[in-house]
Amino acid sequence: MFHVAETKDIFEGKITDVYFERALKILKKSGINPFVKAEIIAKGLPQNAPWALFAGLEEAISLMKQLPVKVRAMREGTVFYPFEPVIEIEGRYQDFCVYETAVLGLICQASGVATKAARFKKLAGERLVISFGARRMHPILAPMIERNAYIGGCDGVSVVKSGELIGEDPMGTVPHALIICFGSTVEAMKAYDDVLEPKFKRIALIDTFLDEKFECLNVAKALGKKLFAVRFDTPSSRRGDFYRLLEETRWELNLRRYTHVKFYVSGGIREEDVPILNPLVDGYGIGTSISNAPVIDYSMDIIEVDGKPSAKRGKWSGSKRVLRCSKCGAGKIVPNRKGKHKCACGKKIEDILIPVLDNGKQLIKTESPEKIRKAVLETIKTHELEC
Ligand SMILES: [Zn+2]
């Protein structure tokens, strides 16, 4: 058996820190069950980043749908800033207190992965960014991780099951094992070319046995125009000056008129590597950096009790509206009262914390991963977001 919870454990409130279970027992015994509003915010973001992406709402809704609560939330893929509520839950405290652990768990990791993917994609621009890191995490999480990497902006995912979830063909090249089985990169690539349908791009892995430059020339000669790209997964012990290695290989290929061959790189690529390598790279395979992305440290706190603002030290009390300028992306938090607001840039500013659930009834359409991703790409391209 795998050491994971079953869905019913989550719905039954078993994935809870025990103190909530104890609090519930005490509240019940004491006959106390106030009508509260609780909000979920992040006071700070990983890497001290100024912004992050909100993700995981679809799963959080499937859990909260079972509860007698009203929920306002940001749409998945929304760029948010510290202190902005991403979710507000309204209801009798006893009805949802044991679900805090699970609700946070559903959004903290999802948002962390989506944010990291968005940061890579923003740095990489038009170049491909593909999620390769499923193998670093428990396999039961692979579809969740890659779905959020995809909505965050990744152009593709590598795991078959993740591809099914998001409705895209998974992407991949060849493993080193295939080349080792053949004993030759060229022979392995020739077999790849013979066996696989033309729709699969011919991408050769060129760091297995020989120097990258010579191996690139070998496969380019063998496959000619059919060779779409080469992937440098060069081990760190051999990397030296990776930029120079790519530059030299590009020179040698171009000199022999193999200018059509694209360069993909993978293996421990960090955010800071991307701007340096961009001039020579057409695609990035990002593993651990995305799948093991730092989580967003959201916390949930009561901010209103029986209609009156009330919050612990360090949190702003009262129900809030979160406003966003559709033009410049600037944000504003205001008390949850009627009234129109304008952005400093002069444009109209819109509510982005919107009603999503009313006692089991879902009030917004579940968006496809493709649609969420499109909106994210548009936002990170057009808004002035610093990484
Ligand atoms: Zn504005």
PDB file of all heavy atoms in Angstrom, residues 324-330 343-349, ligand 1:
ATOM      1  N   ARG A 324      -8.303  44.832  -8.758  1.00  0.00           N
ATOM      2  CA  ARG A 324      -7.154  44.747  -9.656  1.00  0.00           C
ATOM      3  C   ARG A 324      -7.417  45.586 -10.893  1.00  0.00           C
ATOM      4  O   ARG A 324      -8.496  45.511 -11.481  1.00  0.00           O
ATOM      5  CB  ARG A 324      -6.931  43.282 -10.059  1.00  0.00           C
ATOM      6  CG  ARG A 324      -5.722  43.047 -10.918  1.00  0.00           C
ATOM      7  CD  ARG A 324      -4.409  43.070 -10.142  1.00  0.00           C
ATOM      8  NE  ARG A 324      -4.155  41.869  -9.387  1.00  0.00           N
ATOM      9  CZ  ARG A 324      -4.198  41.794  -8.064  1.00  0.00           C
ATOM     10  NH1 ARG A 324      -4.536  42.841  -7.341  1.00  0.00           N
ATOM     11  NH2 ARG A 324      -3.925  40.678  -7.429  1.00  0.00           N
ATOM     12  N   CYS A 325      -6.392  46.329 -11.297  1.00  0.00           N
ATOM     13  CA  CYS A 325      -6.499  47.123 -12.521  1.00  0.00           C
ATOM     14  C   CYS A 325      -6.284  46.198 -13.718  1.00  0.00           C
ATOM     15  O   CYS A 325      -5.302  45.463 -13.770  1.00  0.00           O
ATOM     16  CB  CYS A 325      -5.461  48.228 -12.524  1.00  0.00           C
ATOM     17  SG  CYS A 325      -5.431  49.150 -14.064  1.00  0.00           S
ATOM     18  N   SER A 326      -7.208  46.266 -14.660  1.00  0.00           N
ATOM     19  CA  SER A 326      -7.102  45.366 -15.822  1.00  0.00           C
ATOM     20  C   SER A 326      -5.993  45.833 -16.756  1.00  0.00           C
ATOM     21  O   SER A 326      -5.519  45.077 -17.592  1.00  0.00           O
ATOM     22  CB  SER A 326      -8.431  45.322 -16.563  1.00  0.00           C
ATOM     23  OG  SER A 326      -8.805  46.635 -16.899  1.00  0.00           O
ATOM     24  N   LYS A 327      -5.568  47.093 -16.612  1.00  0.00           N
ATOM     25  CA  LYS A 327      -4.541  47.603 -17.518  1.00  0.00           C
ATOM     26  C   LYS A 327      -3.138  47.411 -16.956  1.00  0.00           C
ATOM     27  O   LYS A 327      -2.294  46.755 -17.560  1.00  0.00           O
ATOM     28  CB  LYS A 327      -4.794  49.078 -17.820  1.00  0.00           C
ATOM     29  CG  LYS A 327      -3.890  49.583 -18.925  1.00  0.00           C
ATOM     30  CD  LYS A 327      -4.270  50.982 -19.385  1.00  0.00           C
ATOM     31  CE  LYS A 327      -3.235  51.526 -20.340  1.00  0.00           C
ATOM     32  NZ  LYS A 327      -2.656  52.782 -19.863  1.00  0.00           N
ATOM     33  N   CYS A 328      -2.891  47.974 -15.762  1.00  0.00           N
ATOM     34  CA  CYS A 328      -1.512  47.936 -15.261  1.00  0.00           C
ATOM     35  C   CYS A 328      -1.276  46.825 -14.237  1.00  0.00           C
ATOM     36  O   CYS A 328      -0.143  46.555 -13.869  1.00  0.00           O
ATOM     37  CB  CYS A 328      -1.115  49.285 -14.677  1.00  0.00           C
ATOM     38  SG  CYS A 328      -1.889  49.650 -13.104  1.00  0.00           S
ATOM     39  N   GLY A 329      -2.353  46.157 -13.785  1.00  0.00           N
ATOM     40  CA  GLY A 329      -2.186  45.038 -12.862  1.00  0.00           C
ATOM     41  C   GLY A 329      -2.027  45.447 -11.409  1.00  0.00           C
ATOM     42  O   GLY A 329      -1.840  44.600 -10.540  1.00  0.00           O
ATOM     43  N   ALA A 330      -2.102  46.732 -11.117  1.00  0.00           N
ATOM     44  CA  ALA A 330      -1.943  47.187  -9.733  1.00  0.00           C
ATOM     45  C   ALA A 330      -3.078  46.647  -8.867  1.00  0.00           C
ATOM     46  O   ALA A 330      -4.197  46.446  -9.340  1.00  0.00           O
ATOM     47  CB  ALA A 330      -1.927  48.711  -9.686  1.00  0.00           C
ATOM     48  N   CYS A 343      -8.076  53.003 -10.443  1.00  0.00           N
ATOM     49  CA  CYS A 343      -6.648  52.764 -10.274  1.00  0.00           C
ATOM     50  C   CYS A 343      -5.896  54.098 -10.397  1.00  0.00           C
ATOM     51  O   CYS A 343      -6.394  55.045 -11.004  1.00  0.00           O
ATOM     52  CB  CYS A 343      -6.160  51.806 -11.351  1.00  0.00           C
ATOM     53  SG  CYS A 343      -4.402  51.460 -11.243  1.00  0.00           S
ATOM     54  N   ALA A 344      -4.706  54.137  -9.847  1.00  0.00           N
ATOM     55  CA  ALA A 344      -3.868  55.343  -9.948  1.00  0.00           C
ATOM     56  C   ALA A 344      -3.585  55.686 -11.409  1.00  0.00           C
ATOM     57  O   ALA A 344      -3.380  56.854 -11.758  1.00  0.00           O
ATOM     58  CB  ALA A 344      -2.566  55.132  -9.193  1.00  0.00           C
ATOM     59  N   CYS A 345      -3.619  54.678 -12.281  1.00  0.00           N
ATOM     60  CA  CYS A 345      -3.350  54.912 -13.705  1.00  0.00           C
ATOM     61  C   CYS A 345      -4.578  55.469 -14.432  1.00  0.00           C
ATOM     62  O   CYS A 345      -4.519  55.772 -15.619  1.00  0.00           O
ATOM     63  CB  CYS A 345      -2.844  53.641 -14.389  1.00  0.00           C
ATOM     64  SG  CYS A 345      -4.123  52.479 -14.880  1.00  0.00           S
ATOM     65  N   GLY A 346      -5.700  55.552 -13.703  1.00  0.00           N
ATOM     66  CA  GLY A 346      -6.894  56.141 -14.298  1.00  0.00           C
ATOM     67  C   GLY A 346      -7.897  55.119 -14.822  1.00  0.00           C
ATOM     68  O   GLY A 346      -9.047  55.441 -15.090  1.00  0.00           O
ATOM     69  N   LYS A 347      -7.465  53.851 -14.933  1.00  0.00           N
ATOM     70  CA  LYS A 347      -8.353  52.817 -15.478  1.00  0.00           C
ATOM     71  C   LYS A 347      -9.302  52.271 -14.413  1.00  0.00           C
ATOM     72  O   LYS A 347      -9.053  52.413 -13.209  1.00  0.00           O
ATOM     73  CB  LYS A 347      -7.501  51.668 -16.032  1.00  0.00           C
ATOM     74  CG  LYS A 347      -7.085  51.888 -17.471  1.00  0.00           C
ATOM     75  CD  LYS A 347      -8.158  51.406 -18.435  1.00  0.00           C
ATOM     76  CE  LYS A 347      -7.948  52.049 -19.801  1.00  0.00           C
ATOM     77  NZ  LYS A 347      -9.048  51.822 -20.718  1.00  0.00           N
ATOM     78  N   LYS A 348     -10.340  51.626 -14.886  1.00  0.00           N
ATOM     79  CA  LYS A 348     -11.296  50.979 -13.994  1.00  0.00           C
ATOM     80  C   LYS A 348     -10.609  49.821 -13.266  1.00  0.00           C
ATOM     81  O   LYS A 348      -9.688  49.202 -13.785  1.00  0.00           O
ATOM     82  CB  LYS A 348     -12.452  50.433 -14.833  1.00  0.00           C
ATOM     83  CG  LYS A 348     -13.781  50.425 -14.105  1.00  0.00           C
ATOM     84  CD  LYS A 348     -14.862  49.844 -15.005  1.00  0.00           C
ATOM     85  CE  LYS A 348     -15.545  48.705 -14.277  1.00  0.00           C
ATOM     86  NZ  LYS A 348     -16.097  47.696 -15.139  1.00  0.00           N
ATOM     87  N   ILE A 349     -11.060  49.576 -12.072  1.00  0.00           N
ATOM     88  CA  ILE A 349     -10.431  48.542 -11.277  1.00  0.00           C
ATOM     89  C   ILE A 349     -11.520  47.531 -10.894  1.00  0.00           C
ATOM     90  O   ILE A 349     -12.644  47.915 -10.609  1.00  0.00           O
ATOM     91  CB  ILE A 349      -9.715  49.228 -10.085  1.00  0.00           C
ATOM     92  CG1 ILE A 349      -8.693  48.338  -9.427  1.00  0.00           C
ATOM     93  CG2 ILE A 349     -10.651  49.845  -9.112  1.00  0.00           C
ATOM     94  CD1 ILE A 349      -7.682  49.167  -8.609  1.00  0.00           C
TER      95      ILE A 349
HETATM   96 ZN    ZN B   1      -3.867  50.734 -13.380  1.00  0.00          ZN
END
